[in-house]
Amino acid sequence: MTTRAMSDMVPLLAGKKVLLIGDVMVDEYLTGDAERISPEAPVPVVRVFNDRHVLGGAGNVARNICSLGGIPHLVCITGTGSGADLLDSLLTTDSIDHTFIRIAGRKTTRKTRIIASRQQMLRIDREDTSPISGEALEEVFTVVSQCIDEYDVCIVSDYGKGLVTQTFMERLTALCRSAERNPKILVDPKTPNFKWYQSVFMLTPNAKETSEGANMPVGTQEEIIAAGQAIFDLLGCDRLLTTLGPQGMALFEGRESVWHIPTMAREVFDVTGAGDTVIATAALALAAGLPLLESCMLANYAAGVVVGHVGAATVSPEGLVEAINRSGVPEIEQWV
């Protein structure tokens, strides 16, 4: 594989469609200064001078797909109040096609971070993580079943906010198997829900999630391989992509076939949202018909770009090509 060949893959991502189902949220940042202590209690008084809202969770995955020229369709659950309206506005502003299943009385997830003097002082979470079922679950699958035949790849972005349950995964897996194009299911997992991801195409856990999912350490190459094999035994998935931070990625093409992709990050300022970038890029590349290893290599380059920014960032096609040309093709090592 040459640098030119890798760069030439990037334009192929444009216009490719990915179905995205997951927990979406609003990330709110209240920024100000804290120059005095409250007379009411021994706490700082933060004078807010900036209020910023961005898409989080599955919304950030959708942003990453769009930034690379892809076309996501986001299916998610929300409440019915002002939080849902704000979320709808953010998605519309970013031109992200979306379908809300609105549940009366349910909170739309919003995470508010209060920042003063470049330090996070407090985070406030407004959310409802109760599992969805009944009419709301039926509405989700009515939407998904109506559009599933348009997609070759389906992402499940699980942030543990109640959408993904055992019943949800069982029904989605069965639906994809019976669909005309038999879309590949990629899951960005939440550790407590690991046992539900049976027989999906690929999981994309980070090192911590891999360790917790396998209940094994991942400090060495041997431990990473053993933990990945344990996940294969537990779930029967087709593939596994473990992101290892500064160590890069381990791609399990099977229980006995493991590739190591070294990190392409030049500087790491913030890993927030890097997992969203990885699954978005890999899914889009697979939707473009690229081989799995090359798809994960592109995801590795993309992650290397976003960790060089503060906060959840995205990468453009031009930025991805620049990263490939600057870094060259990594030395892929076959671990197993």
Side-chain angles (χ1 to χ4, degrees):
M1 179 64 62
T2 64
T3 300
R4 177 63 181 272
M6 288 298 306
S7 297
D8 286 347
M9 293 179 183
V10 176
L12 302 177
L13 309 183
K16 298 303 182 291
K17 299 169 61 176
V18 175
L19 179 61
L20 171 58
I21 312 170
D23 299 309
V24 68
M25 61 195 73
V26 175
D27 284 331
E28 180 178 43
Y29 297 88
L30 304 182
T31 306
D33 55 38
E35 298 178 346
R36 64 190 181 95
I37 301 298
S38 171
E40 303 166 357
V43 295
V45 175
V46 178
R47 184 171 62 92
V48 174
F49 53 72
N50 186 45
D51 187 350
R52 183 168 65 97
H53 300 92
V54 297
L55 292 167
N60 190 47
V61 180
R63 288 180 65 240
N64 274 272
I65 294 172
C66 285
S67 70
L68 286 168
I71 305 173
H73 179 193
L74 172 63
V75 179
C76 59
I77 55 173
T78 71
T80 54
S82 59
D85 293 338
L86 174 59
L87 183 59
D88 182 55
S89 175
L90 291 172
L91 289 163
T92 301
T93 298
D94 283 345
S95 301
I96 296 172
D97 184 29
H98 58 282
T99 302
F100 285 172
I101 287 79
R102 297 177 183 261
I103 304 176
R106 190 180 183 96
K107 292 184 177 68
T108 300
T109 303
R110 186 189 305 201
K111 298 189 175 184
T112 301
R113 296 164 176 88
I114 301 174
I115 301 167
S117 301
R118 299 184 180 180
Q119 297 290 323
Q120 183 170 314
M121 311 290 287
L122 181 68
R123 193 179 93 180
I124 303 168
D125 288 2
R126 285 165 279 191
E127 61 185 16
D128 182 347
T129 61
S130 58
I132 68 162
S133 59
E135 184 177 336
L137 184 62
E138 293 305 319
E139 287 188 47
V140 170
F141 278 97
T142 296
V143 171
V144 174
S145 63
Q146 289 173 347
C147 67
I148 193 69
D149 285 334
E150 302 174 25
Y151 298 92
D152 294 312
V153 179
C154 172
I155 295 176
V156 175
S157 181
D158 187 3
Y159 274 80
K161 306 306 178 188
L163 173 59
V164 179
T165 63
Q166 181 176 355
T167 299
F168 169 87
M169 287 304 307
E170 289 173 350
R171 290 185 62 174
L172 180 64
T173 302
L175 182 60
C176 287
R177 284 176 177 168
S178 63
E180 181 178 337
R181 297 165 76 159
N182 189 20
K184 297 177 174 66
I185 301 175
L186 277 63
V187 179
D188 191 358
K190 198 70 173 175
T191 303
N193 301 344
F194 240 74
K195 59 185 178 295
W196 298 337
Y197 312 130
Q198 297 287 333
S199 302
V200 301
F201 177 73
M202 186 167 74
L203 263 67
T204 62
N206 59 29
K208 182 175 182 290
E209 292 161 344
T210 300
S211 176
E212 292 173 346
N215 195 27
M216 297 171 68
V218 292
T220 67
Q221 174 181 327
E222 291 74 19
E223 289 173 344
I224 293 166
I225 293 169
Q229 291 173 333
I231 291 173
F232 271 90
D233 295 339
L234 175 67
L235 300 179
C237 52
D238 289 345
R239 308 287 190 269
L240 174 69
L241 179 65
T242 296
T243 55
L244 304 170
Q247 297 180 59
M249 300 175 169
L251 171 62
F252 291 74
E253 290 190 309
R255 198 182 185 283
E256 304 300 332
S257 177
V258 186
W259 297 90
H260 176 248
I261 306 171
T263 182
M264 303 308 292
R266 300 176 70 187
E267 294 181 289
V268 178
F269 289 104
D270 193 344
V271 298
T272 302
D276 296 335
T277 301
V278 167
I279 197 167
T281 309
L284 194 55
L286 288 171
L290 298 180
L292 179 63
L293 180 58
E294 284 77 1
S295 297
C296 294
M297 290 171 67
L298 287 177
N300 190 46
Y301 284 110
V305 173
V306 300
V307 297
H309 298 82
V310 176
T314 60
V315 58
S316 66
E318 296 77 16
L320 186 54
V321 169
E322 180 183 346
I324 294 169
N325 291 335
R326 180 182 63 239
S327 303
V329 178
E331 294 185 12
I332 308 298
E333 180 184 359
Q334 189 160 18
W335 278 358
V336 178

Coordinates of all heavy atoms in Angstrom, one line a residue, residues 11 16 24 31 45 88 90 107 119 131 148 152 187 234 254 292 295 305 331:
P11 N -11.6 10.3 -1.5 CA -12.7 10.8 -2.3 C -13.8 9.8 -2.5 O -15.0 10.2 -2.8 CB -12.1 11.2 -3.7 CG -10.7 11.4 -3.4 CD -10.3 10.4 -2.3
K16 N -21.6 8.5 0.3 CA -22.0 7.2 0.8 C -22.9 7.3 2.0 O -22.7 8.2 2.8 CB -20.7 6.3 1.1 CG -19.8 6.1 -0.1 CD -20.6 5.4 -1.2 CE -19.7 5.1 -2.4 NZ -19.3 6.3 -3.1
V24 N -28.2 10.2 21.4 CA -27.8 11.5 21.0 C -28.0 12.5 22.2 O -28.9 12.3 23.0 CB -28.5 12.0 19.7 CG1 -30.0 12.2 20.0 CG2 -27.8 13.2 19.1
T31 N -19.0 29.1 29.6 CA -17.6 29.6 29.9 C -17.7 31.0 30.5 O -18.4 31.9 30.0 CB -16.8 29.6 28.5 OG1 -16.9 28.3 27.9 CG2 -15.4 30.0 28.8
V45 N -18.3 31.9 42.3 CA -19.3 32.5 41.5 C -18.7 32.6 40.0 O -17.7 33.3 39.8 CB -19.7 33.9 42.0 CG1 -20.7 34.5 41.0 CG2 -20.3 33.8 43.4
D88 N -32.9 19.3 17.7 CA -33.4 19.4 16.4 C -32.8 20.5 15.6 O -32.3 20.4 14.4 CB -34.9 19.5 16.4 CG -35.5 19.5 15.0 OD1 -35.3 18.6 14.2 OD2 -36.2 20.5 14.6
L90 N -29.8 21.9 16.2 CA -28.4 21.7 16.0 C -28.2 20.7 14.8 O -27.3 20.9 14.0 CB -27.7 21.1 17.3 CG -27.6 22.0 18.5 CD1 -27.2 21.2 19.7 CD2 -26.6 23.1 18.2
K107 N -36.5 13.2 29.5 CA -35.6 14.2 29.3 C -34.7 13.9 28.1 O -34.3 12.8 27.8 CB -34.6 14.3 30.5 CG -35.3 14.8 31.8 CD -34.2 14.9 32.9 CE -34.8 15.5 34.2 NZ -35.7 14.5 34.8
Q119 N -10.6 26.0 33.4 CA -10.8 24.8 34.2 C -12.3 24.4 34.3 O -13.1 25.3 34.4 CB -10.3 25.0 35.6 CG -8.8 25.3 35.7 CD -8.0 24.1 35.4 OE1 -8.3 23.0 35.8 NE2 -6.8 24.3 34.8
P131 N -34.6 2.1 30.2 CA -34.7 1.4 29.0 C -36.0 1.7 28.3 O -37.0 1.7 28.9 CB -34.5 -0.1 29.4 CG -33.9 -0.1 30.7 CD -34.4 1.2 31.4
I148 N -34.1 0.4 6.0 CA -32.9 -0.5 6.2 C -32.4 -1.0 4.8 O -31.2 -1.2 4.7 CB -33.3 -1.7 7.1 CG1 -32.0 -2.4 7.5 CG2 -34.2 -2.6 6.4 CD1 -31.1 -1.6 8.5
D152 N -25.8 -0.3 3.4 CA -24.9 -1.4 3.5 C -24.3 -1.5 4.9 O -23.7 -2.5 5.3 CB -23.8 -1.3 2.5 CG -24.3 -1.5 1.1 OD1 -25.1 -2.4 0.8 OD2 -24.0 -0.6 0.2
V187 N -20.7 -1.6 16.2 CA -21.2 -1.1 17.5 C -20.1 -0.4 18.2 O -19.0 -1.0 18.4 CB -21.7 -2.3 18.4 CG1 -22.2 -1.7 19.7 CG2 -22.9 -3.0 17.7
L234 N -17.1 -14.7 23.7 CA -18.3 -14.2 24.4 C -19.4 -13.8 23.5 O -20.6 -14.2 23.7 CB -17.9 -13.0 25.3 CG -19.1 -12.3 26.0 CD1 -19.7 -13.2 27.1 CD2 -18.6 -11.0 26.7
G254 N -10.4 -12.0 12.9 CA -10.9 -13.2 13.4 C -10.2 -13.5 14.7 O -9.3 -12.8 15.1
L292 N -11.6 -4.0 4.8 CA -11.6 -3.7 6.2 C -10.4 -3.1 6.7 O -10.4 -2.1 7.5 CB -12.0 -5.0 7.0 CG -12.1 -4.8 8.5 CD1 -13.2 -3.9 8.9 CD2 -12.2 -6.2 9.2
S295 N -10.0 0.4 5.6 CA -11.0 1.2 6.3 C -10.5 1.6 7.7 O -10.7 2.7 8.1 CB -12.3 0.4 6.3 OG -12.9 0.1 5.1
V305 N -6.0 13.0 13.6 CA -6.2 14.4 13.4 C -7.0 15.0 14.5 O -6.7 16.0 15.1 CB -6.9 14.6 12.1 CG1 -7.4 16.1 11.9 CG2 -6.1 14.2 10.9
E331 N 3.6 1.2 9.3 CA 4.1 -0.2 9.3 C 3.1 -1.1 10.0 O 3.1 -1.2 11.2 CB 5.5 -0.3 9.8 CG 6.5 0.4 9.1 CD 8.0 0.2 9.6 OE1 8.1 -0.7 10.4 OE2 8.9 0.9 9.2

